[in-house]
Amino acid sequence: MKIKVNRKELVKHINIVQKAISNRTTMQILEGILLIAEDNTLTLIASDETVSIKSKLSTIVNQPGKCVVNARLFGEITRRLQDDIIDITVEQSNMNINARRSDFNIQVQNESGFPDLPRMDDEQNIEINAEIFKDAVRKTTFAVSLDETRKNFTGVFMDVVPGMTNFVALDGFRMALKSIKNNTQISTSAIIPARALNELVKIIDDEEKSIKIDLNMNQIRFTLESAELYSTLISGEFFNYDGLIRKDHSTIVTANIAEIQNALERASLLAKEERANLVKLDIGNSDILITSNSEIGSVKENVESQVDGDELKIAFNSRYLLEGIKNMKGANLKLNFTDSVNPCIVKEEDDPDYIYLVLPVRLAN
């Protein structure tokens, strides 16, 4: 292999594919990046066997070839070189990286042991605006379960129906649902590992207009302008999330997002001292009184609100309540209550297609 490549472009694409590499891999070859040089294109592929990322850039290929190079070392070297153009030559198990003032020789591996990218046969596909997709991931992945014994809840459920794609995450204590309108006429669904979605968002740049999504029974592929991310899907059934969303509520509270978020953050300073992170909400005629007590002190926060319906006393784990509100960027939100034991449904006024549901903590009588 002999290539001449723009250093900054190479660094950009190394950074993209490196996101697929796991620090916990026990296979040495998966610590590397597969390089394929042919037809004046350099293809980079990295994988942890669950998530794989492929990226391509234009380069001058004087001699085609393939090899696997250690991702960390290759990335560190190319980032620190100062020249705009670098020459890379691979002969047998040696890679020479040459710039005007620098000359590196490092060991590489044969590509034969590197896993193939998944085959995407009989796939179904949809296309989603890149910015809207990033927003859906941001508003859902934080709510997945971290419990590996409940594997199907560690991912985001993508539920595709004609005209709509729903992204749903839940962990048994809260649920986040973001709906996206689109032109698809297919019906399909998949549980996507949260890590795959979070890594994908990191490689979507501001110029990206849309994301093409292809999926079959076991795999999903996200195609960007210069990169592709593949992920193994999580098997199993997802919860019937639609049944959790009640339409009738006895108390509806409208409040300023920044004010209630700041009040909850201050109250949670003491709530964190207790295992349950407990904050209590006392909803009156025109305000919410937020209180928290621990062995080292107590706090009261009053938030002016518009209250429609019954007065109510209810308690929450402050972290669960806050994490949903922090993902709301508009001016106001609505807290929809049924009673003190059923979930609160939080809706952002500026985004009617986003719903956050959080279970209360039962208070002793």
Side-chain angles (χ1 to χ4, degrees):
M1 176 196 297
K2 289 185 180 181
I3 63 173
K4 191 181 291 287
V5 61
N6 181 286
R7 185 189 65 82
K8 289 183 179 178
E9 279 296 299
L10 179 58
V11 168
K12 172 186 171 182
H13 289 266
I14 290 172
N15 289 340
I16 288 172
V17 300
Q18 271 187 319
K19 291 175 172 56
I21 296 174
S22 170
N23 294 326
R24 295 178 292 180
T25 183
T26 57
M27 297 174 61
Q28 186 182 26
I29 201 162
L30 293 184
E31 295 175 358
I33 297 172
L34 172 62
L35 303 180
I36 305 171
E38 58 186 3
D39 300 326
N40 285 332
T41 299
L42 180 64
T43 302
L44 296 82
I45 302 173
S47 176
D48 69 354
E49 293 190 300
T50 298
V51 174
S52 302
I53 301 177
K54 178 173 79 171
S55 191
K56 292 183 178 183
L57 69 154
S58 296
T59 187
I60 298 173
V61 177
N62 294 315
Q63 183 178 320
K66 301 178 183 180
C67 71
V68 177
V69 60
N70 181 274
R72 181 191 59 78
L73 186 58
F74 189 48
E76 292 288 350
I77 290 171
T78 53
R79 288 184 196 104
R80 283 169 168 72
L81 292 174
Q82 295 182 336
D83 288 23
D84 292 334
I85 303 296
I86 59 177
D87 292 290
I88 298 175
T89 302
V90 177
E91 293 182 351
Q92 296 181 341
S93 61
N94 180 74
M95 174 182 283
N96 175 260
I97 305 171
N98 182 266
R100 186 172 51 187
R101 300 178 182 85
S102 306
D103 192 73
F104 282 88
N105 286 284
I106 60 175
Q107 295 294 303
V108 296
Q109 294 176 264
N110 187 282
E111 75 282 356
S112 60
F114 201 86
D116 293 330
L117 288 173
R119 290 184 58 181
M120 298 297 295
D121 296 329
D122 302 321
E123 71 267 19
Q124 295 177 295
N125 59 74
I126 60 173
E127 195 163 333
I128 297 178
N129 174 277
E131 251 338 284
I132 293 173
F133 177 84
K134 286 165 67 174
D135 185 55
V137 171
R138 178 178 62 82
K139 288 184 171 181
T140 53
T141 51
F142 73 92
V144 302
S145 175
L146 302 179
D147 183 358
E148 289 296 326
T149 64
R150 308 175 73 197
K151 191 73 177 176
N152 52 336
F153 291 156
T154 64
V156 174
F157 184 55
M158 186 177 74
D159 189 17
V160 183
V161 296
M164 184 77 70
T165 300
N166 295 319
F167 290 84
V168 190
L170 56 84
D171 65 359
F173 302 100
R174 69 292 187 54
M175 180 184 79
L177 165 62
K178 173 65 178 176
S179 299
I180 297 174
K181 297 180 179 68
N182 56 40
N183 296 322
T184 182
Q185 296 304 312
I186 66 172
S187 294
T188 188
S189 62
I191 306 175
I192 308 166
R195 175 181 165 243
L197 292 171
N198 287 328
E199 298 299 352
L200 177 63
V201 163
K202 294 175 187 175
I203 66 176
I204 300 173
D205 60 35
D206 294 338
E207 285 75 40
E208 202 77 49
K209 291 182 173 58
S210 64
I211 298 170
K212 183 182 176 186
I213 304 173
D214 301 288
L215 70 156
N216 58 26
M217 187 173 294
N218 302 311
Q219 300 285 338
I220 190 165
R221 177 177 61 199
F222 300 91
T223 302
L224 310 177
E225 192 169 316
S226 61
E228 295 176 358
L229 184 145
Y230 297 76
S231 176
T232 302
L233 297 173
I234 297 172
S235 60
E237 295 293 322
F238 202 77
F239 194 81
N240 179 23
Y241 64 92
D242 199 44
L244 294 174
I245 305 169
R246 294 197 175 195
K247 308 299 182 186
D248 299 321
H249 304 97
S250 60
T251 305
I252 300 174
V253 179
T254 305
N256 178 271
I257 290 176
E259 288 182 10
I260 195 167
Q261 178 181 326
N262 291 334
L264 284 167
E265 286 177 339
R266 290 190 292 267
S268 70
L269 294 174
L270 287 180
K272 290 175 183 175
E273 300 299 321
E274 298 292 332
R275 288 182 62 187
N277 288 322
L278 194 69
V279 292
K280 300 176 183 177
L281 277 59
D282 191 343
I283 299 166
N285 290 320
S286 59
D287 60 10
I288 306 173
L289 177 64
I290 302 171
T291 61
S292 181
N293 298 283
S294 71
E295 291 182 357
I296 63 171
S298 62
V299 59
K300 293 182 179 180
E301 290 281 346
N302 195 284
V303 180
E304 186 176 344
S305 310
Q306 177 186 323
V307 179
D308 297 313
D310 304 333
E311 295 184 0
L312 181 67
K313 292 183 179 181
I314 194 168
F316 294 96
N317 180 308
S318 63
R319 180 172 71 87
Y320 292 149
L321 190 56
L322 260 173
E323 285 183 345
I325 292 174
K326 282 180 178 178
N327 280 290
M328 298 180 178
K329 303 300 181 184
N332 296 316
L333 57 72
K334 287 186 181 293
L335 302 166
N336 300 272
F337 301 95
T338 303
D339 51 38
S340 62
V341 296
N342 279 292
C344 169
I345 295 176
V346 188
K347 294 185 177 181
E348 181 183 352
E349 279 195 342
D350 290 353
D351 186 0
D353 296 320
Y354 181 55
I355 294 173
Y356 184 65
L357 181 150
V358 58
L359 285 171
V361 177
R362 288 179 180 265
L363 293 170
N365 294 327

